[in-house]
Amino acid sequence: MIILGIESSCDETAASIVKDGRFVLSNVVSSQIKTHEKFGGVVPEVAAREHLNSINAVIQKAYLEANISPKEIDAFASTVGPGLVGCLLVGLNAAKTLSIVHSKPYIGVNHLNAHVSANFINSDLKPPFICLLVSGGHSQIIYVKDYDKQEILATTIDDAVGEVYDKVARLCSIPYPGGILLDKKAGLGDKTRFNFPEAKVKENEFSFSGLKTAVLREVKKFDKENLPTDDIAASFQYRICDTLIKKTKYFADNLNCKTIALAGGVAANSELRKRLEELKEKGYSTHAPELKYCTDNAAMVASCAFYNPIKTDDSLLLEVFSRD
Ligand code: KG4
Ligand code: ZN
């Protein structure tokens, strides 16, 4: 089954053609970083307009790269939510229109489920597994029992991990997009210089507000010119990744499910991937999507449309939603 997926939930306009949920025939992503850079973050109204400007060209490129004509597509899919409503509407209307024009089904996809599905792309990973999903809007540990059966084991009670990365980056005067640049700076620093605290919370919770405040307290001790950004970044990155890996491992042990996967934009983080890799030595089987399938992309949408679509009697009646 060949599916064309569209992603437009935030600041990436993307289209991808994927065969049987795993084999990527094309993967086109148009990033809006340049546009939002000057605002220091994503401006929803501006993002929606950018999606409108680029969606047709992105879809055309996806056909060209795959060397496939619209007639060969079996279904059209898009992210329905959670995300920015004005942005989601662009992708949803494009996919529904294509489905009507070519008389093929429209499939709606949940953005979080799509991030989990990124693990199936170009891989042979199969459920069950434990998935640490960390993005700009969500932080969850999920028990993926089957392709369409998932149970949330733990979630954040305040900021999402990507959000913390972006806020800590701002505190350190690291420009947008903060997470990836902070990760680079962390690679240059001394992670033992600052001993940032780990939150004491229930086993099914994450909390990062204390960590954020601890970073702010350190930042305030220095003049802007003398801020040891690399060491702060490294110490912060060590603490947050340690917390994430420890809790994920705890649930894997508890459920006796020794396969662990990563998902979401923060799954691209170098320290998190390194710490995951280290679990292999302890007898766990681990998996992380390729970097380009961690941050928002449409291949994961097409994969999810195959493995875990939103179930509904009439998909053409699906409406976008902002929060889960
Ligand atoms: O999944 P994603 O592309 O969009 C959402 O669904 O939110 O995730 C974006 C988030 C941002 O907060 C970004 O700063 C973070 O992922 N991110 C990273 C890295 N690359 C992206 N955070 C830490 N290290 C990275 N290398
Ligand atoms: Zn995302």
Side-chain angles (χ1 to χ4, degrees):
M1 184 169 183
I2 297 179
I3 298 180
L4 184 146
I6 297 175
E7 158 61 34
S8 67
S9 66
C10 189
D11 55 349
E12 255 95 36
T13 319
S16 170
I17 299 175
V18 177
K19 189 164 181 253
D20 297 337
R22 297 206 183 237
F23 310 102
V24 179
L25 306 180
S26 66
N27 180 44
V28 181
V29 183
S30 165
S31 166
Q32 301 181 1
I33 286 179
K34 281 265 160 299
T35 308
H36 299 295
E37 221 165 28
K38 51 183 174 289
F39 303 111
V42 179
V43 183
E45 174 70 19
V46 176
R49 285 164 193 246
E50 285 273 312
H51 284 304
L52 265 182
N53 283 340
S54 41
I55 188 90
N56 286 341
V58 166
I59 294 170
Q60 281 313 317
K61 204 163 169 214
Y63 283 131
L64 273 175
E65 264 185 21
N67 196 19
I68 264 184
S69 76
K71 284 198 198 79
E72 294 169 86
I73 304 288
D74 297 309
F76 296 89
S78 79
T79 308
V80 175
L84 301 169
V85 163
C87 298
L88 289 162
L89 275 171
V90 177
L92 175 115
N93 281 311
K96 281 187 180 177
T97 306
L98 286 166
S99 113
I100 292 166
V101 167
H102 298 292
S103 305
K104 294 285 167 60
Y106 165 73
I107 302 173
V109 160
N110 178 299
H111 186 71
L112 303 181
N113 293 340
H115 272 303
V116 173
S117 293
N119 280 289
F120 304 132
I121 298 169
N122 298 337
S123 91
D124 52 13
L125 180 72
K126 291 183 180 68
F129 58 89
I130 302 287
C131 186
L132 172 66
L133 165 56
V134 271
S135 71
H138 295 82
S139 307
Q140 300 176 342
I141 298 176
I142 305 165
Y143 185 18
V144 183
K145 295 177 187 169
D146 207 338
Y147 292 104
D148 61 349
K149 276 197 200 73
Q150 308 188 354
E151 186 189 331
I152 297 172
L153 303 169
T155 186
T156 181
I157 54 170
D158 38 57
D159 288 352
V161 177
E163 206 176 353
V164 184
Y165 259 94
D166 296 336
K167 285 181 180 169
V168 166
R170 219 168 290 147
L171 291 179
C172 298
S173 306
I174 298 170
Y176 166 90
I180 187 164
L181 296 178
L182 195 154
D183 183 9
K184 288 206 174 105
K185 291 217 168 275
L188 306 169
D190 172 8
K191 67 179 180 200
T192 63
R193 175 152 175 203
F194 300 100
N195 188 14
F196 290 129
E198 183 174 340
K200 291 191 175 41
V201 286
K202 291 189 208 137
E203 64 190 29
N204 62 345
E205 289 174 352
F206 286 119
S207 169
F208 304 109
S209 57
L211 175 58
K212 209 173 53 188
T213 310
V215 173
L216 176 63
R217 215 175 294 129
E218 278 311 324
V219 169
K220 279 188 169 162
K221 290 182 189 164
F222 297 89
D223 299 330
K224 217 172 166 184
E225 309 79 65
N226 298 322
L227 190 67
T229 312
D230 297 351
D231 293 346
I232 291 179
S235 305
F236 159 77
Q237 173 142 297
Y238 171 77
R239 175 56 62 216
I240 200 159
C241 292
D242 189 60
T243 306
L244 293 170
I245 289 290
K246 270 204 295 220
K247 194 155 282 205
T248 308
K249 187 171 161 300
Y250 165 83
F251 280 105
D253 293 343
N254 229 0
L255 292 164
N256 200 20
C257 178
K258 299 283 177 154
T259 306
I260 299 179
L262 296 182
V266 186
N269 184 267
S270 60
E271 172 79 8
L272 193 59
R273 293 174 85 91
K274 190 180 110 208
R275 294 291 304 269
L276 180 82
E277 192 65 25
E278 284 167 8
L279 289 178
K280 278 192 179 142
E281 292 155 24
K282 297 190 173 138
Y284 297 83
S285 164
T286 68
H287 192 271
E290 286 170 51
L291 291 184
K292 62 183 169 199
Y293 301 128
C294 290
T295 44
D296 288 348
N297 66 89
M300 68 182 193
V301 174
S303 173
C304 190
F306 182 81
Y307 282 116
N308 191 13
I310 294 177
K311 293 182 182 70
T312 168
D313 291 336
D314 187 351
S315 60
L316 285 176
L317 296 180
L318 281 173
E319 289 183 30
V320 299
F321 58 93
S322 60
R323 302 191 69 85
D324 49 330

